[in-house]
């Protein structure tokens, strides 16, 4: 069963907010067939801790505007990988180094992506 309409609405709002704060490689993954606890993951990254926190703030503000509050928030203090759990959607905002190391897209490669409009995909990470 694909991600719910509510999950897609939250993913889109969060993706736009992240992209507006210059997140890199914003990706939405439909995990609804693999997990019972959530429908989708949104993964975004940034090159430094300060920008990770700015993206998190923007996502929370955007989702608050569509009547969504996080049930759980983890990792804010370190600013390296912040997880926002909205039940239908789990938002992962990672420092570029954590994104490369943990490779969530690779872990969930068997799950379909949720198509995001170009303007919500953020910047592309530069090659190292």
């Amino acid at each position: 069963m694909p991600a719910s309409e509510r999950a897609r609405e939250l993913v889109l709002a969060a993706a736009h907010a992240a992209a507006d704060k210059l997140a890199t490689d914003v990706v939405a993954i439909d995990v609804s067939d693999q997990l019972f606890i959530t429908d989708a993951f949104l993964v975004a990254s940034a090159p430094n801790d300060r920008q990770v926190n700015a993206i998190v703030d923007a996502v929370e503000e955007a989702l608050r505007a569509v009547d969504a509050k996080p049930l759980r928030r983890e990792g804010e203090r370190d600013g390296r990988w912040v997880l926002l759990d909205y039940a239908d959607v789990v938002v992962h905002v990672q420092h570029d180094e954590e994104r490369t190391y943990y490779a969530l897209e690779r872990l969930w490669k068997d799950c379909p992506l949720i198509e995001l409009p170009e303007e919500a995909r953020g910047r592309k990470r530069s090659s190292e």
Side-chain angles (χ1 to χ4, degrees):
M1 174 192 262
S4 69
E5 282 303 312
R6 178 63 172 165
R8 290 175 178 276
E9 174 190 14
L10 296 178
V11 159
L12 191 56
H16 277 288
D20 287 348
K21 289 296 179 182
L22 305 179
T24 50
D25 294 329
V26 180
V27 175
I29 306 168
D30 183 337
V31 296
S32 60
D33 284 341
Q34 302 293 322
L35 294 175
F36 296 110
I37 58 172
T38 192
D39 281 355
F41 285 164
L42 183 79
V43 183
S45 55
N48 60 63
D49 304 356
R50 185 179 223 170
Q51 192 172 358
V52 166
N53 289 322
I55 293 166
V56 167
D57 290 345
V59 166
E60 285 187 303
E61 184 177 324
L63 294 188
R64 203 171 15 255
V66 293
D67 294 324
K69 291 181 182 176
L71 302 175
R72 194 167 49 120
R73 186 183 295 120
E74 293 182 14
E76 276 182 301
R77 205 162 102 199
D78 296 331
R80 302 289 294 180
W81 181 349
V82 179
L83 180 144
L84 301 170
D85 182 354
Y86 286 89
D88 295 323
V89 173
V90 176
V91 178
H92 300 268
V93 184
Q94 299 175 301
H95 190 286
D96 285 342
E97 292 169 1
E98 271 69 12
R99 176 96 179 249
T100 300
Y101 183 78
Y102 290 101
L104 292 179
E105 294 98 326
R106 190 181 77 240
L107 290 173
W108 296 98
K109 70 180 181 218
D110 294 337
C111 296
L113 297 178
I114 297 172
E115 187 67 29
L116 296 173
E118 183 71 33
E119 69 275 5
R121 294 182 200 156
R123 300 177 302 142
K124 294 286 180 208
R125 278 190 284 180
S126 60
S127 312
E128 295 179 41

